[in-house]
Amino acid sequence: MSRYAVLLSLAVIWIGNPGELVRLQKGENIISYNPAQLCFSNRSFAFGVATAAYQIEGGWNASGKSESIWDRYTHTHPEWVYDHENADVATDSYHKAKEDVQLMRTLGVQFYRFSISWPRILPEGFNNKINEDGVRYYNELLDELEGNKIGALVTMYHWDLPQSLQDLGGWTNPIMADYFVDYARVLFQTFGDRVKTWLTFNEPLTFCHDGYGGGDAPGGRASGLEDYMCAHNVLRAHGMVYRMYKEEFDKDRQGYVGISLDMPWMEPASPSAADKTAAETARQFLFGWFAHPIFSTQGDYPPIMRQRIDAISRRQKFARSRLPSFTEAEIINIRGSYDFLGLNHYTTNLVKPGTGKISLKPSYDDDMGVKLTVNPKWPKSNSTWLRVVPWGFRKTLNWIKNTYNNPLVVVTENGVSLEKGLDDAKRVNYIDSYLRSLHAAIYKDGCDVVGYTHWSLLDNFEWMRGFSERFGLFEVDYRSPDRTRTARRSAHYYATVAKTGCLPDKHDYKY
Ligand code: GBH
């Protein structure tokens, strides 16, 4: 078997044990690539699992926690959720920190990506009142992780805005950026001694586009307006938090702040020039919207968004573009505000140009002007939007490498939803095929990826789909008061990957 060396600029991020140094090195290194056995080189590549506060914690009003926009939404409009459920209890992880960490221990993962609930830490939304029991819970979780030598990658915002702040306009209100900075400062002060790797936001595309532009909480349903306002303030907030962290908390440059952005691969529906252009436009609208201001050398919104939205706004007789403008100072503040890029990747779409019709009513879809489809032959999952297309992962990573000068990437989510059941061979195949694609992106193409996070540790509340879509390595029995967790076949498979750093032969793990 031919063994050959690939020269790549190696950047190592250690999502280490809390309390230990998190180190980042950039330099030249040689990693050997052996196609016979796919290994992720050495322990500098980390495997983890992810969850999010609202989806697992439960304890929605326990010990001082206030209402989030998702509590309000699911309580007032249960019929908007597929199975009319809510996450009042969810997997009850608020009472099961120890048990959850034990699950991770059996997986042998190097880190846990979880999110902190803003309304649990700051019930008023503001930093005038800190909820001690909220702090206690995350301290307990961090202690437990440390005791089990599992690192922490912490998301500050995974969609559960305090309702009190939504009452002030939420992310459409520019002042929200200041309140987010106040919240982030509390997190750095309280947990920053142990947590060295942070994500400001999870998927602003989803919570701005689906939440403010569409029907997800808080249900703004103002596409082409509120979604752009939300994104604008989120980007400002992200830049401000990054700078604040570096100035106030990270003098010795041992901490890392990034953001998680989601990107389905956008594949041209045909090799035609029109389809290729449409696919690139879609990438810029979906990913570039957030990535261009932060990760490109120019900063600011992608030129194609500026052009299209300005022009369409004019045709709709708006006095100004519906896409807000940054000040020069904001552009500079946001540009380069990252230590790494968090990528959430699940699936692929085919892209061709849209009809070109522009309605009078503002619409993000009209602004983007493309038509997204899938190849009906691509294997299905239990989510309509998610088809299994492993090669799209490699293309996504290469596009990021080429577009943003090969930034340091941590895959912060990847996974698949299936029916209930422990023998989830399809999930094993999904992970295996996506990891092969990731491996090629790193060792054949030189993409600078240093970590992989599986979504999810366990089944949880899947937003608008309630409990009907299951993404867990561990199955959760929602009918048992204990919310009993049971390892699926994929948990055994993933444990082998996480413990050895190599992809086993499919029959080479115990189940
Ligand atoms: C992630 O988003 C989330 O970060 C995570 O919380 C979630 O549990 C996980 O995915 C699994 O879904 O129903 O047709 O309107 C992934 C990106 C964006 C995919 C919103 C689903 C809704 C499509 N998601 N999208 S649709």
Side-chain angles (χ1 to χ4, degrees), residues 157-170:
Y157 185 82
H158 201 124
W159 311 352
D160 44 357
L161 188 73
Q163 180 61 41
S164 55
L165 296 183
Q166 181 53 38
D167 293 342
L168 303 174

Side-chain angles (χ1 to χ4, degrees), residues 98-116:
K98 289 199 172 149
E99 202 180 323
D100 285 350
V101 174
Q102 282 316 305
L103 301 182
M104 287 177 249
R105 211 185 134 90
T106 66
L107 291 177
V109 289
Q110 285 88 55
F111 69 96
Y112 180 34
R113 175 183 176 224
F114 64 94
S115 82
I116 292 183

Side-chain angles (χ1 to χ4, degrees), residues 292-293 295-301 303 328 331-332 335 403-404:
H292 199 276
F295 296 93
S296 76
T297 42
Q298 309 91 308
D300 204 349
Y301 290 118
E328 201 51 43
I331 290 174
I332 292 167
R335 189 174 61 204
T403 310
Y404 305 111

Side-chain angles (χ1 to χ4, degrees), residues 64-130:
K65 177 182 168 293
S66 72
E67 195 186 14
S68 78
I69 56 175
W70 276 94
D71 294 318
R72 172 68 64 91
Y73 186 90
T74 55
H75 291 159
T76 50
H77 286 287
E79 74 282 4
W80 288 348
V81 177
Y82 178 74
D83 56 6
H84 298 195
E85 288 284 357
N86 59 51
D88 288 1
V89 181
T91 67
D92 201 23
S93 289
Y94 188 59
H95 302 108
K96 289 180 179 293
K98 289 199 172 149
E99 202 180 323
D100 285 350
V101 174
Q102 282 316 305
L103 301 182
M104 287 177 249
R105 211 185 134 90
T106 66
L107 291 177
V109 289
Q110 285 88 55
F111 69 96
Y112 180 34
R113 175 183 176 224
F114 64 94
S115 82
I116 292 183
S117 159
W118 188 343
R120 196 180 293 292
I121 294 290
L122 304 179
E124 316 271 326
F126 309 112
N127 64 353
N128 56 351
K129 189 173 137 200
I130 297 176

